[in-house]
Amino acid sequence: MAKKVDFDTPALSEYLQIPVLQEGSMAHSSPFVAKPDHQEALNFPGELVENWHDQAIAKMEDLSKTSRSFSLFLDICVHCGSCTDKCHYFLGTADPKNMPVARQELLRSVYRRYFTFAGKYFPNLVGAKDLTRETLDEWHSYFHQCSECRRCSVFCPYGIDTAEITMAARDILDAVGYGQKYDNEILGKVLKIGNNLGLPGPALKATLEDLEEDLEDDTDLPIRMPLNEKGADVLLITPSADFFAEPHIDGLLGYAKVFHQAGISWTMSDYASEGANFGMFIGNYPTMKKVAERIRTAALELGVKRVIVGECGHAWRVAYSFWNTLAGTGHGAAADDKYAQMLQKQLDPRYPAPQHIIEFTYDLLQRNALKIDKSANDHRTVTFHDSCNVARGTGMGGIERGQFILPREVIKAVVNNYVEMDSSTMFEETYCCGGGGGLLTDDLMELRVKGAMPRMNALKKVFDDEGVDTLAAICAICKSQFSKVLPFYDMPMDMITSVHQLVGDALVFENND
Amino acid sequence: MLTGLFAILFYVATVILVVGVAKRIAAYWRTPAPLKIPTMPAPRTQGGMLYRMGREVVLFESLFRSNKWIWIFGWVFHMALFLVLLRHGRYFQESPWFLTEIVQPFGKYGGIAMVAGLGGLWARRFLVERIRYISTPSDHLMLLLLIGIGMSGVMMTFVAHTDIVALKHFMTGLMVFDWKPLPADPVLIAHLSLVIILMVVFPISKLMHAPGIFFSPTRNQIDDSREKRHIAPWAAEMEK
Ligand code: SF4
Ligand code: SF4
């Protein structure tokens, strides 16, 4: 259980320091355990099962048959140490178990013991360990100190991705009835109601109507926020945080303005009113598939030709990399693949499926289809944070490195003052915000603040030296996390901004009707 | 006696190595990667992927980006090992292949470079706190084993030459099941014994990283998830 602890915010420095190891410094950090109803809603046992030992081993056996990365990554690590200083949680906490290879080792030691010759007969030699009740507690703690950001996989000579190991470990914990409350409770809501907030259809409708009024007050134009409109061209799938949280909501208003000016008919869906898919965070394929299938169902029912995804990092990873696999939401299924063909026949082949809102806006900007007044953002000096899932888990624009190029091009098209943070903390080497991967919960506040340190370090430099006052991002989790942790590092919480707020602010509407 | 013992040990070790590695590879081959997980940005074509994998295998690109010290020691060790292995081809071929010929002069010094690289890697296991923390006894033993092989080899090249003509007869004889006497040189015996141990532990140890990297989905997948549907057979079952 997470204890209430006082903690010190890590100090920022000119150059990022690799800390001296402090063993056990984060051993107390563990998120709340899922309640039986959270677990059962996802078909996991309600509480820790009696034969957890055998169940866990059986689950590992199962994983080694269904996912190559599981046994491959556990087999081939050579303990070279290349990844040891690459994790923001290690850099921020100094706990050696937050070094990626040491995190993997928590699972690897058990895998070795039960599944390898060396571990069965020479456990001490290869660091193999029996699975005990304490092991499960340690897993619950340290596999919830990984945001599945994949930064370590960039630097591993074999591409070993600790995120895959974390997902597997969480899947095992869920299978024995020892899940995490925050993630599983949210998944229950999306599967029952359609979004992570548990906001039912009528409430969503009312919210959107309020927003339409705000837009009308602001622009004198009837800019719409359509819901469940059959026959629209575009289905917009956006994280539900966009409906109520700051600064997310201004991003949503930005999308609406872009759609309005482009004159493209679009709609949202209350059945699929969630872009986020926490099924990825818990590494559970069937759950992830169920959440993704809601979007497929909505797209089929509404008869849309395109699916566009709003600003959300892991949602974009799931959409870009997994939707086609999970629900056939993409292109290029085999002719005899009936399941996928059903939707793919309906989607317009001229557009990528799914498409990111940044790709959509970028395309309009390229064609000069938007009227922009950059000076509307002249009171700002903007920097952009590459969200880890976008950077290391997706692409944009159909070109290599598009996920870095397109957002910057969009920002530069609507903003005059743009500054880049230190490149060793950006692009595919970007540091996580500290709150990704299903950790955005108050019971992990210490971890979140400490894990944000490397990003804050780079941000503070441009904040002090270049007068940056706006941090733009395209991830709902990054936005929430930054508004929480910025004050710990003496920066204003409201400097975090949606990219589409910048776009929306710069759009010029000539009121000639 | 000695000849018979080593002949049998070599056969057994070869069978363990070949069968063991083949079994692991078959398991990797059979097990699907259910999702597209290339570490982005990733190549968008098959050719681009092969180029990325090539850079990874030949230049250790990710390691280079990460840590120059580990890279220099690791890269020197592996490249030297590669030269040395090529050079050893002469013990297995009646008339050496041209590549085996070409590397003879460099290969000679390869042994020294190999031991130097291994020494650097081993030093890091003691000197760098983070790497000391993650090192297991087997990590140390593996380095010791390789250094032992390298040192005994270097000894025979530069200090106490062994009868390589007799050795060649023994080796080529082994391959056609016609046993020729093995020279009873203690350094050679030590060298060969350590090599036999290495062959036996290969399939059950982290040495599997050598074939394993080619199966790593984060490196061998292509960025085409929106254009082509990727699906594992067990996942396709869920849609029926
Ligand atoms: S995936 Fe990210 S958070 Fe997890 S161990 Fe690797 S670097 Fe750390
Ligand atoms: S970089 Fe890869 S091989 Fe090296 S210790 Fe980390 S996970 Fe293991």
Side-chain angles (χ1 to χ4, degrees), chain A residues 77-83 101 104 156-158 160:
Chain A
C77 167
V78 298
H79 289 176
C80 71
S82 167
C83 60
V101 49
Q104 296 161 24
C156 172
Y158 320 116
I160 295 175

Side-chain angles (χ1 to χ4, degrees), chain A residues 66 68 75 78-79 82 84 125 150 153 158-159 289 320 322 324-325 331 337 354 359 392 398 428, chain B residues 24 28 31-32 37 39 65-66 125 130 138-139 206 215-216 218-219 223 225-226 229-230 234 239:
Chain A
T66 50
R68 188 194 305 148
D75 279 344
V78 298
H79 289 176
S82 167
T84 51
L125 210 58
R150 317 185 83 205
S153 84
Y158 320 116
K289 182 172 169 67
Y320 181 93
F322 305 160
N324 204 358
T325 300
H331 293 302
D337 182 348
E359 293 180 298
R392 292 184 283 265
E428 63 267 45
Chain B
R24 286 314 294 156
Y28 298 147
T31 314
I37 58 167
T39 307
R65 168 188 276 227
S66 171
R125 293 213 181 271
R130 302 189 310 280
S138 65
D139 295 327
K206 64 178 185 178
F215 294 89
S216 179
T218 56
R219 293 288 183 268
D223 170 13
S225 50
R226 287 194 292 189
R229 186 166 198 234
H230 168 94
W234 62 260
E239 288 163 9

Side-chain angles (χ1 to χ4, degrees), chain A residues 110-237:
Chain A
V110 173
Y111 168 81
R112 284 239 167 95
R113 185 78 181 100
Y114 296 85
F115 295 94
T116 69
F117 178 88
K120 276 180 196 156
Y121 300 102
F122 309 98
N124 294 330
L125 210 58
V126 293
K129 291 200 190 103
D130 288 328
L131 174 65
T132 65
R133 185 63 189 74
E134 288 71 44
T135 316
L136 295 184
D137 292 339
E138 201 172 36
W139 286 1
H140 195 81
S141 168
Y142 286 100
F143 287 117
H144 292 107
Q145 299 191 40
C146 168
S147 57
E148 304 176 346
C149 78
R150 317 185 83 205
R151 189 167 194 269
C152 44
S153 84
V154 171
F155 297 98
C156 172
Y158 320 116
I160 295 175
D161 181 2
T162 314
E164 290 289 306
I165 303 300
T166 293
M167 290 171 192
R170 292 186 188 174
D171 202 18
I172 298 166
L173 287 170
D174 276 327
V176 299
Y178 194 10
Q180 186 220 15
K181 173 171 181 268
Y182 172 72
D183 287 348
N184 292 0
E185 185 176 23
I186 277 180
L187 278 163
K189 284 186 206 159
V190 69
L191 289 176
K192 195 158 153 229
I193 298 162
N195 56 62
N196 288 1
L197 302 173
L199 194 69
L204 179 60
K205 193 158 177 37
T207 305
L208 294 177
E209 280 165 6
D210 286 350
L211 291 176
E212 281 181 346
E213 276 173 32
D214 292 350
L215 278 169
E216 177 131 29
D217 290 346
D218 183 23
T219 62
D220 278 339
L221 287 170
I223 297 178
R224 303 206 48 224
M225 287 276 178
L227 186 67
N228 300 333
E229 292 195 354
K230 277 203 179 156
D233 279 343
V234 170
L235 170 63
L236 177 79
I237 299 293

Side-chain angles (χ1 to χ4, degrees), chain A residues 348-383:
Chain A
D348 188 334
R350 290 172 304 167
Y351 300 97
Q355 193 175 23
H356 196 281
I357 189 76
I358 287 281
E359 293 180 298
F360 176 71
T361 301
Y362 174 78
D363 189 47
L364 293 168
L365 287 166
Q366 293 296 96
R367 292 193 280 113
N368 282 323
L370 298 177
K371 202 157 182 307
I372 299 288
D373 173 18
K374 282 182 165 196
S375 67
N377 282 313
D378 272 356
H379 58 293
R380 299 185 155 111
T381 302
V382 181
T383 191

